[in-house]
Amino acid sequence: MASVLGLTDTAAEISGEIADAVDIDAAVEIGFVKRAYRRGTAGIRFRTAAWKFLRPQEPHWDDLKALAKSVGADHMNLPAFCGRLRDECNEIVREHSDLKRWVCRRLALLDAVVVSRKLDRSRRDEVFALRNALSDCTELLVTDPAEATYLSENLCQAAILGAGNAVVDAIAEVAGLNANLMFSVPCGYRVSGSAERLANQDRADRLWQNVGDHTHRLVVLAESTGASHVGFWVPVIPSGPGVRLPGATEAIAGNASLVLKEDLPPLRGFSHQMESDWEAYMQREFNHDLFLSLPVRVPGRSTPVAVLNVNVNVRQETKRHWYRAYGAYWTRQAEEYAWEFLDLALRGMMLVAQRSAGMPALDCGVPRPAAAMLLPASTEVTEP
Amino acid sequence: MTLQTAPPTTTDKRVRARALIEAARESITASMKRQGRELIMGRKSIVPAPTKK
């Protein structure tokens, strides 16, 4: 440790002698001189660490220990080091406000070490109730299909709201939220139903009229109560070098995608007209502070089967915490927290799709309930 | 001794499913309220109305 701190062996010996003289156990281990050195140089060492941390090459989890060692702070435990480094980064933001967004993105990694966010305990009760309701809905599909469909729609709405709430549990506080589920369908599919759904579809038609060729689109087919996005769609365009459409399109390729209204990510590989259409749409029509698109993965499938969008309004003081969603650690945790609700929503959607006119054929890794397989006739009790 | 219970009727299932979904929805909105989160309805933001017990 002495060499790491730049102390000479002599200095280390002296500190040991001092510690012996004052006969304090802790002083024997650390040493008065070392402690004085650490205190005296902490400011410059952590400022150095902060600038190293903010360099263009994005640091990874494993780099944090090496960073601590490089500035002689490896005697600290990692959360304490990261907490102090976070304070120093915030200090840099105070001095250089232009760097705020850059620093906020980087803080996602430090927050992953320092901040612990937990799923609300009530999620377990909610999932349990919805799972039992799903079981009843599945059985009702035989005897009362209209009611089964109606209840399944309600179940989906509750499950999607639960998923959105779980995502917020995982990442940061919000003032308000709603959520929706998008599914991939061929371009020829058109929603039917209420005027609101048709208007959402028309809005998307106008927005993406210059996007170019694509064979599939992601359509909002279910949402939390009253969110009013069903019918809206985005094109499915394979991302690659030089091509990027943030949001659900990115999520269906397997990468969570955060879109902050005040810090819009760039579109890549599209015409200037398309870029300006999208920016104008986000500024004028998108009435939330941000949205997070998460891939919905099911076991046995190599690619996501749907996309969960969580639309969020944030309070000014917690806005910067949402930059965490640029970090894979946070979005993986969000996917994990939301998973049980998403599983329920997918199964509910399959029940809805079974009976509802105008629903596309969904392939989301969940078996379509076949009426003949639902319930043996002998166990069903018909009402008098 | 084995307890024998009648299998649930269609009405039982309908009532139970409704109650379960409503309970889940109430629990989620109550959790949101506790955390100071509102449900955003369409273009407006409202606090979910309390459900009558």
Side-chain angles (χ1 to χ4, degrees), chain A residues 54-287:
Chain A
L54 296 173
R55 283 189 300 200
Q57 189 176 358
E58 189 162 358
H60 296 286
W61 198 283
D62 296 337
D63 299 331
L64 290 172
K65 281 184 180 171
L67 180 63
K69 192 170 184 180
S70 74
V71 295
D74 51 341
H75 60 288
M76 300 172 77
N77 66 41
L78 197 57
F81 172 73
C82 291
R84 181 73 194 269
L85 190 58
R86 193 171 61 160
D87 292 345
E88 202 62 44
C89 288
N90 283 327
E91 201 56 40
I92 287 175
V93 171
R94 285 160 59 98
E95 293 165 14
H96 308 278
S97 57
D98 290 351
L99 292 176
K100 182 179 175 186
R101 290 171 183 171
W102 177 272
V103 175
C104 285
R105 286 181 187 226
R106 285 294 165 83
L107 290 182
L109 181 62
L110 299 181
D111 282 354
V113 179
V114 176
V115 178
S116 169
R117 290 188 59 82
K118 294 201 170 95
L119 204 57
D120 191 313
R121 290 173 68 182
S122 67
R123 299 289 165 276
R124 187 189 296 180
D125 300 341
E126 294 147 13
V127 167
F128 186 74
L130 290 176
R131 190 165 289 138
N132 286 340
L134 180 73
S135 172
D136 283 335
C137 289
T138 308
E139 292 180 14
L140 280 170
L141 202 58
V142 179
T143 53
D144 191 348
E147 181 73 6
T149 306
Y150 170 76
L151 289 173
S152 300
E153 283 174 353
N154 277 270
L155 186 148
C156 276
Q157 289 179 347
I160 292 169
L161 182 60
N165 203 25
V167 167
V168 170
D169 278 347
I171 296 181
E173 273 320 311
V174 300
L177 73 140
N178 64 30
N180 63 63
L181 265 186
M182 285 181 137
F183 293 87
S184 178
V185 299
C187 276
Y189 172 75
R190 307 294 289 171
V191 295
S192 56
S194 68
E196 183 181 77
R197 294 178 178 202
L198 297 175
N200 288 336
Q201 184 172 249
D202 290 345
R203 209 153 41 92
D205 289 346
R206 285 195 301 277
L207 171 61
W208 303 116
Q209 60 186 328
N210 296 314
V211 78
D213 292 339
H214 56 281
T215 60
H216 283 71
R217 56 181 56 164
L218 288 161
V219 182
V220 178
L221 293 179
E223 62 188 357
S224 57
T225 310
S228 305
H229 289 105
V230 170
F232 188 78
W233 62 270
V234 297
V236 176
I237 294 171
S239 49
V243 178
R244 186 186 179 206
L245 185 54
T249 304
E250 233 173 15
I252 200 68
N255 303 309
S257 185
L258 174 70
V259 177
L260 286 151
K261 193 172 179 177
E262 67 167 27
D263 187 12
L264 287 178
L267 266 67
R268 292 202 199 100
F270 297 94
S271 64
H272 286 302
Q273 180 64 46
M274 185 65 250
E275 285 176 31
S276 60
D277 285 351
W278 186 72
E279 283 178 19
Y281 172 83
M282 288 301 297
Q283 295 302 338
R284 282 203 310 262
E285 306 266 347
F286 182 68
N287 294 301

Side-chain angles (χ1 to χ4, degrees), chain A residues 120 123 126 129-130 132-133 136 139-140 143-144 147 151 154 158 161 165 168-169 173 175-178 225-227 287-288 313 315 380-381 383, chain B residues 6-18 20-21 23-29 31-32 34-43 45:
Chain A
D120 191 313
R123 299 289 165 276
E126 294 147 13
L130 290 176
N132 286 340
D136 283 335
E139 292 180 14
L140 280 170
T143 53
D144 191 348
E147 181 73 6
L151 289 173
N154 277 270
L161 182 60
N165 203 25
V168 170
D169 278 347
E173 273 320 311
L177 73 140
N178 64 30
T225 310
N287 294 301
H288 312 293
N313 289 340
R315 294 181 192 88
E380 177 59 17
V381 176
E383 290 178 274
Chain B
T9 63
T10 298
T11 304
D12 291 338
K13 290 174 193 168
R14 189 187 303 143
V15 170
R16 190 172 58 190
R18 279 180 186 251
L20 287 167
I21 292 168
R25 195 198 308 274
E26 275 187 34
S27 175
I28 294 167
T29 50
S31 155
M32 288 171 63
R34 280 198 303 277
Q35 316 259 12
R37 304 168 189 167
E38 294 176 350
L39 173 64
I40 304 172
M41 302 281 280
R43 292 175 182 276
S45 180

Side-chain angles (χ1 to χ4, degrees), chain A residues 326-339:
Chain A
Y326 283 119
Y329 166 82
W330 292 97
T331 52
R332 274 200 302 270
Q333 178 163 278
E335 283 181 47
E336 198 175 309
Y337 281 14
W339 160 243

